[in-house]
Amino acid sequence: MAKRVVLAYSGGLDTSVAVRWMIEELGVEVVALAVDVGQASDDWDVVRERARAAGAVDAIVVDARKEFAEDFVLPALKANAMYEGRYPLVSALSRPVIVKHLVEAARQTGASAVAHGCTGKGNDQVRFEVSTRALAPDLEVIAPVRGWGMTREDSIHYAYDHGIPIQATKEKVYSIDDNLWGRAIECGEMEDPWAVPPQGVWLLTKPTETEPRDLEIGFEQGMPVSIDGERLGMLEVIEKLNVIVGAYGWGRIDMVENRRVGIKSRETYECPAALALIMAHKDLESICLERDLDREKARIEPRYAELIYDGLWFSPLKEAFDSFVDKSQEFVTGEVRLRLASGSCVVTGRRSETSLYDYELATYDAADTFRHEDSAGFVRLWGLGIETWSARQASTRPKV
Ligand code: ARG
């Protein structure tokens, strides 16, 4: 019996050609697996048909949107995860859930290998392979696109010669990866980091709405649970916010980031829901987290984001961080008000039953309960060490 391989299939040119190429060149049987993580895709029936036309013995589509939202996006949101402070990890978060399903499909179909369509220059190969090794070290990982040396034009000819029905044009300008957490757009004229991204690249953040509005997001233990009082699941919150916030033309990112493989890369993203939720969540934490906990959490957040970016979703450090972050969210319950206007989204209010903001301590009016007399001694002790240093050492230095 021929060896069986489960390929992470997108329905695009590269993975369609990869199906046939692996059959011809490696003599394997290919099971194509498409994982729905909320990407804009052709009809899934069409995708399935295309995989079969390319020669797949089976074509499976898994709807992983809810799982992706709840088990992958939510932990990242609780950790306010942003790579290099700006990128909410759109593609990086989807790879581990895709791998989870690849491995499951490999087990179910008796495959001894999994395959992906990544090139050798990106982060996604790292995420696919490291995640697979974490979940199923016995499975071989095959990366046909990385080694086949075909240009885009070669691939189109290959598809044409083998009767694979793809709709690719010779000039594919952008490399796009998307899911419900946002969209990543690379290449084309944007490979010049000075070039202004052309208007045509934006899809989720077209400014069509001009009338400003307020939006109230409710959280329970760090999880968004409602919009304007309407109770919603995690997936629905994200889907709704992409539409509502995106319509104000807000949620774009234009940055040069450091890839794991050592390349600096100009990236544009549009992530209206992700950016609005992280902003709101972080703001709610400002009233719900005790100071030291807030500070310590802020210290680990960049590290947590880096782990996800670098393909280490399934790792002991990431798991340990999850325990910390989950515990920190115990009292992150309340509402945040956002104000949307053309091209802008800002927080204009936050409240919580378990808020640590104490009006009577904070106020400057009559309701004030703060014990002013305590401050004098506190401040004196706070400055005591500095005073001693100044008297004994600093004052002996030559005056400048
Ligand atoms: N630079 C981003 C990341 O590494 C986006 C990658 C997009 N992937 C793609 N195949 N176009 O997470």
Side-chain angles (χ1 to χ4, degrees):
M1 210 179 79
K3 181 164 115 180
R4 204 166 254 204
V5 179
V6 183
L7 167 71
Y9 184 67
S10 71
L13 173 67
D14 277 344
T15 52
S16 297
V17 168
V19 171
R20 186 54 152 265
W21 189 90
M22 287 194 290
I23 297 167
E24 304 276 338
E25 303 294 322
L26 310 177
V28 297
E29 273 179 10
V30 177
V31 173
L33 175 78
V35 182
D36 183 357
V37 283
Q39 65 272 51
S41 154
D42 291 324
D43 191 298
W44 291 115
D45 288 332
V46 174
V47 170
R48 238 185 246 115
E49 266 321 298
R50 197 174 296 148
R52 291 217 177 83
V57 285
D58 199 0
I60 309 166
V61 178
V62 181
D63 179 358
R65 289 173 302 164
K66 190 165 178 290
E67 178 188 14
F68 178 51
E70 291 173 3
D71 299 347
F72 293 80
V73 172
L74 179 58
L77 171 61
K78 287 178 178 173
N80 301 317
M82 298 258 238
Y83 181 65
E84 297 184 337
R86 297 173 76 184
Y87 163 48
L89 298 159
V90 177
S91 307
L93 280 167
S94 76
R95 279 10 182 213
V97 71
I98 295 172
V99 169
K100 184 173 167 254
H101 287 283
L102 270 183
V103 169
E104 271 171 28
R107 298 303 185 218
Q108 278 159 16
T109 60
S112 61
V114 295
H116 62 73
C118 307
T119 68
K121 290 174 75 169
N123 296 310
D124 290 324
Q125 56 173 345
V126 179
R127 299 165 185 154
F128 268 113
E129 291 175 40
V130 176
S131 297
T132 306
R133 280 159 69 190
L135 295 183
D138 59 302
L139 291 178
E140 187 193 342
V141 184
I142 304 173
V145 177
R146 196 162 59 195
W148 68 26
M150 284 197 272
T151 62
R152 186 170 172 81
E153 205 172 340
D154 296 337
S155 300
I156 291 173
H157 280 133
Y158 191 98
Y160 183 77
D161 291 344
H162 292 85
I164 304 169
I166 43 107
Q167 298 156 333
T169 50
K170 247 180 233 165
E171 274 311 306
K172 180 188 165 196
V173 192
Y174 306 115
S175 166
I176 295 168
D177 185 57
D178 65 327
N179 59 54
L180 50 95
W181 205 224
R183 236 173 128 245
I185 314 110
E186 302 166 75
C187 304
E189 54 268 63
M190 289 180 296
E191 283 181 348
D192 171 1
W194 179 250
V196 177
Q199 280 308 311
V201 306
W202 309 115
L203 222 82
L204 297 175
T205 54
K206 283 190 193 153
T208 50
E209 196 63 66
T210 49
E211 194 58 39
R213 69 170 276 189
D214 286 334
L215 197 66
E216 222 176 87
I217 305 179
F219 289 87
E220 277 174 15
Q221 302 195 316
M223 174 165 100
V225 292
S226 65
I227 296 176
D228 289 337
E230 186 195 354
R231 195 91 199 163
L232 297 165
M234 179 74 190
L235 173 60
E236 295 164 299
V237 168
I238 300 169
E239 285 175 341
K240 276 206 155 188
L241 284 181
N242 271 331
V243 176
I244 299 174
V245 179
Y248 286 87
W250 186 85
R252 298 177 183 175
I253 303 157
D254 178 343
M255 68 189 283
V256 173
E257 75 188 29
N258 291 290
R259 288 192 194 161
R260 181 63 287 188
V261 294
I263 302 171
K264 280 196 190 285
S265 173
R266 200 279 180 86
E267 306 276 341
T268 53
Y269 301 105
E270 42 182 358
C271 320
L275 295 186
L277 280 170
I278 294 171
M279 179 163 70
H281 175 258
K282 223 178 191 167
D283 197 281
L284 183 60
E285 287 186 326
S286 73
I287 57 167
C288 294
L289 295 189
E290 178 277 331
R291 175 178 177 269
D292 280 332
L293 176 56
D294 199 8
R295 298 272 168 95
E296 204 53 32
K297 182 168 182 285
R299 266 161 47 98
I300 69 156
E301 285 173 356
R303 189 74 187 96
Y304 186 93
E306 244 165 51
L307 291 175
I308 298 174
Y309 189 87
D310 290 345
L312 296 168
W313 177 271
F314 301 110
S315 67
L317 181 54
K318 153 77 173 45
E319 272 179 28
F321 278 157
D322 277 330
S323 309
F324 173 87
V325 171
D326 271 337
K327 178 70 185 166
S328 77
Q329 300 299 291
E330 210 171 344
F331 297 105
V332 183
T333 297
E335 288 88 39
V336 176
R337 192 194 318 108
L338 299 176
R339 178 73 170 170
L340 295 169
S342 196
S344 97
C345 172
V346 289
V347 175
T348 59
R350 71 291 288 159
R351 66 178 174 204
S352 166
E353 296 279 316
T354 49
S355 170
L356 300 174
Y357 181 91
D358 188 320
Y359 174 76
E360 292 179 353
L361 286 179
T363 185
Y364 284 94
D365 10 313
D368 186 7
T369 59
F370 181 78
R371 291 170 30 135
H372 292 255
E373 64 277 20
D374 288 352
S375 285
F378 166 75
V379 179
R380 197 170 317 119
L381 292 189
W382 176 256
L384 186 57
I386 290 300
E387 191 183 332
T388 310
W389 163 77
S390 171
R392 304 278 161 77
Q393 297 177 355
S395 60
T396 66
R397 280 200 218 129
K399 296 274 176 295
V400 276

